[in-house]
Amino acid sequence: SLYLELAADVKIEPEKREASLQQCAEQAGKIRFLSDAMLKVMRLESGLIAVKRVPENVVSTIQAAVAAVRPAAGAKGLELYVKVPDSLILAHDPLWTKEALLNLLDNAIKYTEKGHLEVSAEQGAIYTSIHVADTGTPLEPSEYAKVFGRFYRVRRAGQYTVEGTGLGLSIAREIMRQQ
């Protein structure tokens, strides 16, 4: 890469060499994140990773996911509300359910400029629903199914700088499909 070539140049100033090495490290981190996400998707879809459902209080899983993203929401000035019952027993895989919620919450934080996010859960007659809502720009109806596809990114004016791989919602969908 160009950054490595610059860093290897013995005539380059130490500050520029350090900057080039820093750029290499950042790019390597992005490549690793993308490859880890792709491996996760492939392993989930192929059944190499098994989602193990156990009856457990899903509220603690939700609270753990919310606690993990609260600093990022706060850094953007977003409020984060949790409206769940004290106890809600659900057969789920706590680790993978948390992963799915983290992906949904991360996406909501990225695409919400101001306002709040809300996580709620309720027990229905035959299913339990967990909702993640935000005050960001709503999706167009034509995008509803697309956002859960691999590498799909919503493109709107002013949002071209939003970091991400386009895999988070795909991973979340696959995790929840298996449960």
Side-chain angles (χ1 to χ4, degrees), residues 48-124:
L48 289 173
I49 295 176
V51 174
K52 298 176 181 91
R53 296 174 52 193
V54 294
E56 194 171 307
N57 189 358
V58 74
V59 173
S60 59
T61 304
I62 293 169
Q63 290 170 338
V66 168
V69 300
R70 195 172 290 283
K76 282 189 76 175
L78 302 173
E79 295 290 328
L80 186 49
Y81 304 115
V82 180
K83 296 182 178 179
V84 296
D86 293 334
S87 180
L88 188 56
I89 304 302
L90 174 67
H92 72 291
D93 185 315
L95 177 69
W96 286 107
T97 301
K98 179 182 173 187
E99 172 89 13
L101 287 169
L102 286 171
N103 286 338
L104 291 169
L105 288 164
D106 179 63
N107 198 74
I109 291 167
K110 285 179 186 176
Y111 289 96
T112 302
E113 293 302 316
K114 61 182 178 180
H116 68 273
L117 285 70
E118 180 178 299
V119 181
S120 60
E122 61 185 355
Q123 178 67 56

Side-chain angles (χ1 to χ4, degrees), residues 1-76:
S1 107
L2 175 63
Y3 298 118
L4 281 174
E5 289 175 21
L6 287 171
D9 186 351
V10 293
K11 299 175 200 154
I12 194 168
E13 300 165 16
E15 297 84 27
K16 288 183 179 177
R17 178 177 288 116
E18 185 63 33
S20 292
L21 290 172
Q22 181 63 34
Q23 286 290 330
C24 286
E26 287 176 17
Q27 293 303 317
K30 289 179 181 181
I31 291 169
R32 180 178 179 150
F33 182 81
L34 176 61
S35 63
D36 287 349
M38 280 300 302
L39 282 170
K40 199 176 290 182
V41 168
M42 301 304 281
R43 288 176 177 156
L44 280 165
E45 288 180 352
S46 68
L48 289 173
I49 295 176
V51 174
K52 298 176 181 91
R53 296 174 52 193
V54 294
E56 194 171 307
N57 189 358
V58 74
V59 173
S60 59
T61 304
I62 293 169
Q63 290 170 338
V66 168
V69 300
R70 195 172 290 283
K76 282 189 76 175

